């Protein structure tokens, strides 16, 4: 299990939290051809469940923009995917907090 260093920016009634990444790293995610290492950077937004599990993996602004573009272009797969909605909500809250108080990488 990989540890993601992040700063909570919003906590919700169901115990879920939006956080922003404070230290770069990478996640190994399953894929058809075997695990793939997916890097994440300082400032990426992440959604964490009440028990500490990752609901939305660290998402960059570019990644969120790509999802938003697919929604606007009416990509049927993205429009019907509940995960895409959670990812967009995570991005909006995570990135909006950085405009007010940017997160700096820990030394």
């Amino acid at each position: 299990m990989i540890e993601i260093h992040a700063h909570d920016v919003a906590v919700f009634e169901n115990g879920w939290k939006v956080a922003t990444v404070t230290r770069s790293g990478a996640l190994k995610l399953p894929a058809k051809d075997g695990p793939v290492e997916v890097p994440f950077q300082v400032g990426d937004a992440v959604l964490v469940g009440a028990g500490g599990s990752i609901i939305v993996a660290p998402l960059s602004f570019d990644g969120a923009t790509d999802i938003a573009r697919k929604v606007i272009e009416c990509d049927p797969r993205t429009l019907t995917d509940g995960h895409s909605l959670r990812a967009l909500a995570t991005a909006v809250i995570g990135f909006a907090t950085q405009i007010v108080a940017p997160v700096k990488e820990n030394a």
Side-chain angles (χ1 to χ4, degrees):
M1 183 167 143
I2 186 159
E3 185 173 315
I4 297 176
H5 297 269
H7 172 72
D8 295 348
V9 295
V11 180
F12 299 91
E13 289 182 19
N14 63 359
W16 289 17
K17 319 181 240 195
V18 172
T20 54
V21 173
T22 58
R23 189 177 299 164
S24 300
L27 289 174
K28 282 195 177 183
L29 299 176
K32 287 181 183 178
D33 299 328
V36 175
E37 194 166 281
V38 179
F40 55 85
Q41 304 298 320
V42 171
D44 288 357
V46 61
L47 180 62
V48 181
S53 60
I54 296 171
I55 307 298
V56 173
L59 180 64
S60 69
F61 187 79
D62 287 343
T65 301
D66 185 50
I67 294 169
R69 182 177 292 110
K70 288 177 182 177
V71 168
I72 290 168
E73 293 174 348
C74 297
D75 175 271
R77 194 166 165 189
T78 304
L79 289 172
T80 59
D81 177 21
H83 185 73
S84 294
L85 182 60
R86 283 188 295 278
L88 282 176
T90 299
V92 166
I93 292 170
F95 299 132
T97 61
Q98 293 180 47
I99 293 169
V100 177
V103 176
K104 305 244 189 280
E105 185 166 0
N106 293 339

